[in-house]
Amino acid sequence: MVFAAGVHKLLDPLAWTVYVVDWLAPLLVVSPVVFMLVNGVLEIGFGAALVADRFTAIASAVAAVSLTATCLYLSLVFVLEGGLFGDVLARDVGLAGLAWAVLVDALSRPSRTG
C-alpha cells in the first residue's frame, strides 16, 4: 500500500493535496504539490523495501511512525473540520496498525546474515 500510494502521489500529486487543509498549508516548508511529490518518492523507496523484504525493520518503522503521525493529523482535522476525512482516518488507522505489526515481526525475527 505504501508503494502504491507513493506511485500515485508521483502520477497525480494534485489529487493528494486535498488532504492539506487551509490552516496546514502555511506551515509546510514547500507547496502542497512539492510536499506530495517528496512523500511519493520516499513512499516508493520504503514500500519497495517492504515488498522486497529488505531492511524491513527500518522501512516498517518509518511507515509506522509516518502513518501514526498522519493519523494524529487526520484526527485533528476530523475534530476541527466537522468530521472531514473520517473515512481516510479509519483506513490509515488500520494501515498504521499493520505497519506496527510488521515492525514487531521484523524485530522478533532472527537476524539474516551471511
Side-chain angles (χ1 to χ4, degrees), residues 7 62 78 100:
V7 169
V62 170
F78 184 81
W100 285 107

Side-chain angles (χ1 to χ4, degrees), residues 8-96:
H8 191 255
K9 282 179 183 160
L10 290 184
L11 295 175
D12 191 6
L14 282 175
W16 290 84
T17 61
V18 68
Y19 300 111
V20 179
V21 294
D22 291 341
W23 52 264
L24 176 65
L27 301 175
L28 297 177
V29 179
V30 295
S31 73
V33 170
V34 171
F35 182 77
M36 292 304 164
L37 290 170
V38 169
N39 272 286
V41 170
L42 294 171
E43 287 176 352
I44 288 172
F46 289 109
L50 289 169
V51 169
D53 197 23
R54 298 286 179 221
F55 308 106
T56 306
I58 294 168
S60 60
V62 170
V65 170
S66 174
L67 283 161
T68 300
T70 299
C71 289
L72 292 173
Y73 163 70
L74 290 171
S75 296
L76 188 60
V77 171
F78 184 81
V79 170
L80 296 177
E81 302 290 333
L84 189 63
F85 305 141
D87 56 338
V88 178
L89 173 59
R91 178 204 62 206
D92 282 0
V93 165
L95 290 174

